[in-house]
Amino acid sequence: MKITMVIPTYWGRERKIGWKKGDAVYDHPTPLDSEGTLKRAMESIKILKDKDFELAIIAAATAEDIEERVEEKVLSIVESENLGIEVIFFSHSKLREVQNFFIDSKKKDYAKILKLRGYSNIRNLCLLVPHILSSDVVVLIDDDEVFEDPEFIRKVKEFIGKKVNGKKILAVAGYYLQSDGNYRLKQDFQPWM
């Protein structure tokens, strides 16, 4: 079973500049003048006992005019880590190469639908990149998460592809632990709920 773990990472302008009209909107893009959380997420991979997977880092910029700097910044973070696994880096310049391949192959419609802007487009690339790598299983992790369980990959493999109660398991979803250690969010009922 070939596994590819994918970490999309979103980067924006320096803090002093912030967001400009026309920039993509993400819930917490990392400013170019900060370290962000990607390095911490990657470092936490070292605790995993099973390292039989590839890691794909997908870097997205909030604006076209900072794409090159985002690629340089994220690539420097990726190259600074020695995780003992293969790491694939994908960003705007690689996307243009894939788009040009489709254009040269007379499949311009495919080139048009591949984008590194907007959550849904980036999530699609989080599935496409592992597909191109012939992966059987895709594990999506946010760049602000850390691994605390050395058995995480074993648990990913535990049920995926197997039958449980007569149904084949094709996806497994995790949950977030709250500060009290519970997975349920304790909050007062609000009318919008």
Side-chain angles (χ1 to χ4, degrees):
M1 171 183 322
K2 183 175 178 183
I3 299 174
T4 299
M5 179 184 295
V6 182
I7 302 178
T9 184
Y10 305 85
W11 291 74
R13 301 176 189 281
E14 292 84 353
R15 284 181 205 172
K16 65 182 177 202
I17 299 171
W19 182 86
K20 285 185 171 182
K21 187 174 181 175
D23 289 0
V25 176
Y26 302 112
D27 61 350
H28 56 89
T30 303
L32 267 171
D33 58 348
S34 73
E35 287 305 309
T37 55
L38 177 61
K39 184 175 179 73
R40 185 186 70 184
M42 290 179 65
E43 285 174 347
S44 75
I45 289 172
K46 294 175 184 174
I47 74 156
L48 300 177
K49 288 182 179 178
D50 184 347
K51 291 192 177 72
D52 187 20
F53 62 91
E54 296 172 319
L55 175 63
I57 304 293
I58 298 179
T62 58
E64 191 175 322
D65 63 318
I66 63 169
E67 288 175 358
E68 189 174 316
R69 289 187 295 145
V70 166
E71 284 194 22
E72 290 171 6
K73 175 81 172 197
V74 177
L75 190 56
S76 72
I77 294 169
V78 169
E79 290 176 341
S80 73
E81 289 300 312
N82 182 8
L83 304 176
I85 57 174
E86 184 176 356
V87 180
I88 294 100
F89 177 69
F90 188 89
S91 193
H92 299 276
S93 62
K94 291 291 182 198
L95 177 63
R96 284 188 285 279
E97 287 177 25
V98 172
Q99 289 170 325
N100 288 336
F101 168 80
F102 284 126
I103 290 167
D104 293 345
S105 301
K106 309 287 189 257
K107 296 180 180 178
K108 290 181 184 177
D109 290 341
Y110 292 150
K112 288 182 200 173
I113 63 172
L114 297 175
K115 297 177 184 168
L116 249 174
R117 186 176 176 94
Y119 282 123
S120 58
N121 292 318
I122 293 167
R123 291 296 180 193
N124 287 342
L125 287 171
C126 288
L127 297 173
L128 178 66
V129 169
H131 178 72
I132 291 169
L133 297 170
S134 300
S135 297
D136 302 304
V137 176
V138 180
V139 178
L140 268 65
I141 302 294
D142 288 336
D143 70 350
D144 61 349
E145 295 183 47
V146 293
F147 294 98
E148 295 178 339
D149 183 355
E151 298 294 333
F152 180 85
I153 296 296
R154 180 191 60 76
K155 291 176 180 179
V156 165
K157 294 177 179 178
E158 188 173 0
F159 296 106
I160 200 78
K162 295 185 173 105
K163 285 195 175 188
V164 175
N165 297 328
K167 294 184 179 182
K168 190 172 183 178
I169 304 299
L170 300 174
V172 179
Y175 52 86
Y176 291 94
L177 289 177
Q178 303 304 314
S179 59
D180 64 0
N182 198 332
Y183 67 92
R184 291 184 179 201
L185 182 62
K186 293 179 183 171
Q187 61 185 31
D188 296 329
F189 179 79
Q190 301 292 323
W192 64 265
M193 294 176 172

